[in-house]
Amino acid sequence: MNKLVWKLLRRHISIGQLAGFFLANLFGMMIVLLSVQFYSDVLSVFTSGDSFMKRDYIIATKKISTLGGITGKSNTFSKEDIEDIREQSFTRSVGAFTPSLFKVSAGVGMQEAGIHLSTEMFFESVPDEYVDVSLKKWLFDEESHIIPIIIPRNYLNLYNFGFAQSRSLPKLSEGLISMIQMDIVLRGNERTEQYKGNIVGFSNRLNTILVPQSFMDWANNSFAPGKEGKPSRLIVEVKNPTDTAINEYFSANGYETEGDSLDAGKTTYFLRLITGIVMAVGLFISILSFYILMLSIFLLLQKNTAKLENLLLIGYSPTQVALPYHILTIGLNVAVLLLSIGGVMQVRTCYIETIQSFFPQLEESSLFPCFLTGSLLFLIVSLLNIFAIRRKIIGIRKGEK
C-alpha cells in the first residue's frame, strides 16, 4: 500500500531542491561537528595545567626607575596596591608571587654525561589556581623531604640550544629532566637542611623557579620566622585582554607587564571569538538547510494536495500518507549524518598530528563528542520534520490549504 502511495506522490519531487537541502545541511553539519570535535581534542590545552588558552593572565611589576634604584625605593606591592587592582572592572582575580626569605642552593649531576652544575638560586610561589602545569604531583610533604619544582620552559631551551650546543654536551628532553633529582640546601634561622628537588613540570606562563605555596609558607615560617616578604610581582587574571582600561590603569600607576602576556591574551581572546563565530555560522547554515528542506516538502505537499485529499477520503490515515515523506526526510538526514562524521574523521587525522607536535603531552580524545552532537542534531531535525509534515497532512484533511 505504501509503495502505491509513494509511486503516486513522487512525481512532483524536485531533485534540485532536495540536492540543495542535502548539500547545505551537509556543509552546516560538518562545520558544527568539526567545531565540537576540535574543541574536544584541544580541551586540555584550554583547561589543563600546561595551557596557554585556559584564561587570560598578566604578570604585573612596578617600573624600576634610575632614581628609584639609587634611593632604594621599594618596587614591591602593598596590600593596598593589590586590593586596588582587585577592584578594577577588568580584573577577575589577583595572585601574589611569594618570595623565599631564606638562602637556597641547588646542585645537579649526571656522571654518565660528565655534567655537574651547582648554583645559588631562589624560590617563588603562587596560589595553585595560577599554576599552568598539572597539579597531580604538586604536593609537599614535610616528612618526605622532597620539593616539587616547576621551571620555565625557556630555561631548558636556553640550556639545550645555548649552553649544551656550544659545549657539545647532550641535549636534555623534558622527560629526562623530570627524572633528575636536584640536591637542595636550605639555610636560615641558624638552620641548614638538605632536600631533594623533583622537577614536575615546565611553565610557559611563569618565568620563575616555582615551588608549592604550602612549602613556601612552611619554609618561610621555619627558616625566616618573623619576616614578611612583600611581593614584587602579581599575576592578574583579566576578563578581556583587549580592554583599553588595562593599559590606561597600568600606565597611570607605573606598572609594567612581563613579556608579551598582554598581546598573547589579546590573541587568545580573538581566537576564541573566531571559534565561536565559526560554530555559529555552522548552526546558521544547518538552520537554513532545515528551512530549505521544509520548504521543498511543503511545496511537494502543496502540489499533491488534491491527491492527498483523495487518499484521505478513501480511508488512508494521515500516518500512512505522511510515511513516504518521513522516509524521504529521515533518509536524507541519515546520509548527511554519516557523511558529516566521515568528513570530520578525515579532517581530524590532518590536524591532530599538527596539534600533538605543538603539545606532545596532549592526550587524544575520542570521537564521542562528534557522534553525540551529530546524533542529537539528527534526532532534533528529524522530529521537527516529522512533526511539520504530519501537521500539514492533518491540515489538508481538515480542508486547510
Side-chain angles (χ1 to χ4, degrees), residues 83-92 239 245 249 253:
E83 190 60 33
D84 186 55
I85 295 176
R86 184 176 285 114
E87 292 176 354
Q88 298 305 308
S89 60
F90 56 77
T91 303
R92 287 189 186 274
K239 299 176 181 176
Y249 177 82
N253 289 274

Side-chain angles (χ1 to χ4, degrees), residues 141-190:
D141 181 5
E142 184 180 346
E143 300 297 327
S144 67
H145 272 231
I146 296 177
I147 306 171
I149 297 174
I150 295 173
I151 65 173
R153 183 166 277 111
N154 59 9
Y155 281 21
L156 181 60
N157 294 335
L158 191 62
Y159 168 80
N160 282 333
F161 304 111
F163 183 79
Q165 188 163 341
S166 65
R167 295 175 180 264
S168 300
L169 293 172
K171 293 181 174 61
L172 304 177
S173 66
E174 293 185 7
L176 182 59
I177 285 291
S178 299
M179 297 171 61
I180 300 174
Q181 281 196 334
M182 293 188 294
D183 297 316
I184 307 293
V185 179
L186 309 181
R187 297 183 180 89
N189 193 30
E190 299 182 353

